[in-house]
Amino acid sequence: MADSPIFPPGFAVLPPFDPDSPGDCYLEALDGTRFKALRHVLVHTSPYFETLLRDLSPSNSPNLPIFKIDEEARLLHALLVVLYPVHTPDFLDGPLLVELASRQEKFGIAENALMLAVAKVLGLNTDDPSSVEHPLELYALSWRFGYPRESCYFSRLTHSIDLLDEGIAERLVRSSGRFNAYIALVDMCQQQEVALDGIVECLEPRKYICGSHSASDTMFAATVSMIKTAARNALLAPFPLCEDAISFFGLQGSGTDRVVTWCSTCYQGADSNRLTRNLRAAISKYPQTTTM
């Protein structure tokens, strides 16, 4: 068979797996992408490839043998990067490593080889939380490979994820290999819900909500419920900032900008600085991460 690598649209094979790199075989992904590889590297790093290549005789033929691998090109590329003694490239991310970890037994990937890639990816994603795209997968990897500090960090970025979604729960347990990874997030959410009452109390609603909005217990409860919802939403941020207590709860603005319906009489004469200090203190104690 001719030594002619295939490059499907959207995927470029880079060194050390491109046609100009050293190699004595090709691994072909499901989409036809071919990666040039050295057999002696593969057989010494993976029982799967040791079995696949065991009976293959060395050859200097220009037509290198091609082995079809039942994986997508991106995953096969990640596998080779982990098996080869090369640097961990930036294209590795949380979802890709979760998928690769699920193939660990199939390819016999050494734990230390996979952990090196995981550590690199976790480290890159703790530098700038605003750039993290897959916090749940990173949280799962932290659990799976025993990085408790990182798992706590990434749990802070999962506040907006619906843990009641069965698909998400199943994905998390499967990716982490630990049911306790899911339980830890659920416990955090339950602690947050309990702590919300204290957050709302920082606004002293009994003191500052006007008579029109507290004319009855039902009306007062409805107003407090809206404030609690506003607080819950504001605290979805991994690092919530409180510049001012009134605006933090969305009690200002007009028309559609208002998060909580109120009137100009509500909080009239309130000591905004004192309320803000109290709220900041409460936010600092609000459970933002899991505990291990």
Side-chain angles (χ1 to χ4, degrees):
M1 188 174 296
D3 186 4
S4 55
I6 298 174
F7 300 100
F11 196 95
V13 179
L14 302 176
F17 311 114
D18 66 320
D20 294 328
S21 295
D24 52 12
C25 70
Y26 278 108
L27 302 181
E28 184 175 291
L30 288 172
D31 64 357
T33 302
R34 292 177 186 171
F35 299 87
K36 197 174 186 180
L38 290 163
R39 279 177 271 173
H40 75 272
V41 173
L42 299 178
V43 299
H44 286 98
T45 54
S46 165
Y48 173 89
F49 287 112
E50 182 181 14
T51 300
L52 181 68
L53 306 173
R54 178 170 50 200
D55 299 326
L56 188 66
S57 302
S59 172
N60 294 321
S61 169
N63 298 321
L64 300 181
I66 299 170
F67 298 91
K68 295 183 182 295
I69 307 298
D70 189 27
E71 299 291 352
E72 298 292 340
R74 193 164 179 262
L75 186 69
L76 181 54
H77 189 196
L79 171 64
L80 291 174
V81 163
V82 169
L83 295 181
Y84 261 61
V86 296
H87 72 285
T88 304
D90 293 339
F91 80 86
L92 288 178
D93 58 20
L96 185 57
L97 279 177
V98 164
E99 192 174 357
L100 187 59
S102 71
R103 310 290 204 283
Q104 185 175 7
E105 184 176 353
K106 172 183 176 180
F107 291 108
I109 307 171
E111 188 80 4
N112 61 344
L114 201 51
M115 284 189 71
L116 182 64
V118 169
K120 174 71 177 295
V121 170
L122 294 181
L124 287 174
N125 282 277
T126 54
D127 292 338
D128 180 11
S130 65
S131 66
V132 176
E133 296 182 355
H134 307 285
L136 192 65
E137 283 75 12
L138 294 170
Y139 171 78
L141 284 170
S142 301
W143 264 88
R144 187 181 187 111
F145 290 96
Y147 290 95
R149 186 175 65 176
E150 287 76 7
S151 72
C152 290
Y153 175 83
F154 290 116
S155 69
R156 182 185 286 273
L157 308 181
T158 65
H159 295 167
S160 61
I161 295 175
D162 182 9
L163 296 176
L164 296 180
D165 184 315
E166 291 184 4
I168 289 176
E170 181 183 351
R171 192 174 90 223
L172 173 57
V173 173
R174 184 176 63 251
S175 299
S176 66
R178 306 285 190 278
F179 183 67
N180 282 345
Y182 173 71
I183 293 300
L185 285 184
V186 172
D187 286 346
M188 178 186 70
C189 292
Q190 291 175 341
Q191 292 169 25
Q192 288 174 340
E193 198 63 26
V194 171
L196 279 176
D197 290 332
I199 296 287
V200 172
E201 279 303 311
C202 290
L203 270 188
E204 301 178 20
R206 280 289 181 190
K207 183 176 181 180
Y208 292 114
I209 291 179
C210 73
S212 297
H213 288 104
S214 58
S216 67
D217 288 343
T218 300
M219 183 172 290
F220 178 76
T223 303
V224 169
S225 178
M226 286 189 289
I227 294 175
K228 190 172 184 178
T229 298
R232 186 183 295 110
N233 291 335
L235 290 166
L236 290 178
F239 299 94
L241 295 175
C242 175
E243 299 294 338
D244 173 78
I246 306 298
S247 60
F248 183 83
F249 284 93
L251 297 174
Q252 291 181 339
S254 59
T256 57
D257 293 333
R258 292 184 180 175
V259 179
V260 180
T261 303
W262 71 306
C263 65
S264 58
T265 307
C266 290
Y267 287 89
Q268 188 175 41
D271 186 345
S272 178
N273 290 332
R274 182 174 60 81
L275 295 180
T276 299
R277 287 194 302 271
N278 292 343
L279 179 57
R280 286 174 178 169
I283 290 175
S284 69
K285 299 175 183 178
Y286 185 74
Q288 295 275 7
T289 69
T290 57
T291 56
M292 290 188 66

